[in-house]
Amino acid sequence: MAIRKRGASWQADKLVEGNRVRKSFKSELEARRWELESTITSVQPVSYPNVRQVFRSAYDHFWRGTKNDRDQYRIVEWLIDESGLNANLSVWTTTKVRELVKLCLDKGNTKATINRKLSCLSKVLKYAKQECDHFVMPSISFYREDMGRVRWLTDDEERRIFEHFDVYEYYFVSFLVDTGFRFSEATGFEWSDYNGSTITCWRNKSNHPRTIPLTLRARRALEHSRKAGDARPFEQIGYERMRDHWRVACSGAGLERPEEVTLHTLRHTCCSRLVQRGLDIRKVQVWMGHKDIRVTLRYAHLAPNDLQLGASLLENRA
């Protein structure tokens, strides 16, 4: 709308259902009052989509059928529950996000866990923004994560844990610790990816295929799976069942704080042993499939001999 002086009168105009309406007034004050009244009466109630519908649509769009399907589904369903029954998108304000973070802290979630939940929330809200232009994105602040302590298994701890598995599962966890593959990677191979001495991981977190040589034990693990008649390596392994058996094995092994030792600890163990036994840190990065060298450097302190070599080099004066 616009107000302008036309001769002795003041003129204002506006759009009504796509048609321009123009009206004249004796004073500017009357014209502005009409403008204000028109603005107020023309405001329509704002409609927001249902949280449950838009969040599940975002999950289908980003994660369904991916390697992160299960974890992201749990977070999305949790966010829906925390939104409230039949809530619409407008509940997600900056204040609501802060309340969510406080709830996570009260539950004892780590900074890393909270960041994963906030990352999921941010992604679904950005998706929702595309469906609802008038939705205002809340401010979401992430925690700066500490490097943290890396938990890995000693040879003795490995032996004590592994003796609690049957033969098939023993070979599977042996394969994990000798390759450093993630669970999703180790259960996603085809027989064509294995040539008898190496195996190629095509689908992984960093989206960079990698081929690694196999230890004798890892090769035996694959051959045991083949002899079991598996159409693909370790097809009899399911995550939920394996996770439960792992927890029982760790408790039975008499570990201190067994709850801190997970299946993913086997990946940490592989990386730690590679570093401890002298493999160059860059080669360790390639072996593990770390996209960022900073992830691999978390293990660098386990190779003190490298630093000792540096001291020896400095001693060699001309």
Side-chain angles (χ1 to χ4, degrees):
M1 287 188 294
I3 296 176
R4 53 194 171 279
K5 188 117 172 18
R6 298 296 298 267
S9 64
W10 290 84
Q11 193 176 79
D13 60 70
K14 65 177 180 178
L15 288 176
V16 179
E17 296 181 351
N19 299 313
R20 185 174 296 280
V21 176
R22 184 171 293 164
K23 192 171 182 179
S24 296
F25 300 89
K26 293 181 179 180
S27 68
E28 181 183 7
L29 180 62
E30 289 177 313
R32 294 204 176 279
R33 183 180 294 120
W34 180 76
E35 177 190 44
L36 179 61
E37 291 172 352
S38 300
T39 302
I40 293 173
T41 56
S42 64
V43 173
Q44 300 296 319
V46 176
S47 175
Y48 292 93
N50 178 270
V51 166
R52 185 178 302 275
Q53 294 175 348
V54 74
F55 276 34
R56 285 181 175 170
S57 178
Y59 158 75
D60 289 338
H61 180 75
F62 292 115
W63 298 295
R64 181 179 291 278
T66 71
K67 59 182 179 295
N68 295 321
D69 188 329
R70 179 176 53 250
D71 293 337
Q72 295 301 323
Y73 177 80
R74 290 172 179 166
I75 297 176
V76 168
E77 287 298 305
W78 175 71
L79 290 171
I80 291 173
D81 290 341
E82 292 303 322
S83 300
L85 186 64
N86 297 322
N88 64 49
L89 199 58
S90 64
V91 303
W92 283 105
T93 63
T94 299
T95 299
K96 178 68 173 177
V97 174
R98 290 171 180 165
E99 291 174 354
L100 187 78
V101 172
K102 184 178 184 304
L103 174 65
C104 292
L105 291 171
D106 291 342
K107 290 171 60 177
N109 288 170
T110 65
K111 293 178 180 179
T113 298
I114 295 175
N115 280 348
R116 300 299 85 75
K117 293 178 178 179
L118 290 178
S119 178
C120 179
L121 175 63
S122 176
K123 196 156 189 173
V124 297
L125 290 182
K126 288 177 181 177
Y127 176 87
K129 175 68 175 174
Q130 299 175 7
E131 306 294 317
C132 181
D133 289 338
H134 47 266
F135 172 63
V136 178
M137 278 288 296
S139 175
I140 300 179
S141 299
F142 294 87
Y143 282 104
R144 181 176 179 179
E145 297 179 29
D146 299 328
M147 293 298 285
R149 179 184 176 186
V150 177
R151 178 66 164 95
W152 48 275
L153 300 179
T154 64
D155 290 340
D156 180 61
E157 287 175 328
E158 177 190 314
R159 178 189 57 76
R160 285 154 50 197
I161 293 173
F162 285 14
E163 67 184 12
H164 289 273
F165 292 107
D166 62 29
V167 176
Y168 191 93
E169 290 179 338
Y170 164 79
Y171 274 121
F172 177 70
V173 291
S174 298
F175 181 80
L176 290 181
V177 80
D178 278 8
T179 61
F181 286 130
R182 301 173 179 89
F183 186 94
S184 59
E185 294 171 342
T187 54
F189 289 113
E190 301 294 337
W191 284 118
S192 57
D193 301 325
Y194 168 55
N195 70 2
S197 60
T198 66
I199 193 165
T200 300
C201 179
W202 296 100
R203 296 181 58 190
N204 50 65
K205 189 175 180 180
S206 62
N207 292 320
H208 290 292
R210 68 188 190 278
T211 299
I212 67 167
L214 296 172
T215 64
L216 177 60
R217 184 169 64 165
R219 296 199 300 272
R220 286 174 176 168
L222 287 168
E223 292 305 325
H224 183 80
S225 174
R226 195 196 295 273
K227 288 179 181 178
D230 292 345
R232 56 180 176 77
F234 308 116
E235 70 170 353
Q236 299 178 42
I237 295 293
Y239 179 78
E240 304 289 345
R241 183 168 178 267
M242 192 68 220
R243 181 195 60 190
D244 293 342
H245 286 192
W246 177 263
R247 289 173 177 170
V248 172
C250 288
S251 296
L255 304 181
E256 292 186 16
R257 298 188 296 276
E259 68 280 358
E260 295 181 2
V261 181
T262 67
L263 280 168
H264 199 71
T265 302
L266 297 178
R267 179 168 165 82
H268 291 314
T269 301
C270 177
C271 191
S272 299
R273 289 177 180 175
L274 290 173
V275 174
Q276 287 172 323
R277 297 170 187 179
L279 188 63
D280 177 79
I281 200 73
R282 292 284 182 180
K283 293 178 180 177
V284 174
Q285 179 190 8
V286 174
W287 182 296
M288 301 302 296
H290 292 153
K291 190 173 183 178
D292 192 332
I293 187 63
R294 288 176 294 182
V295 177
T296 322
L297 288 173
R298 296 175 65 190
Y299 305 86
H301 68 283
L302 298 173
N305 290 337
D306 285 353
L307 299 182
Q308 184 60 49
L309 175 60
S312 300
L313 292 173
L314 290 173
E315 290 287 357
N316 292 332
R317 296 180 177 84

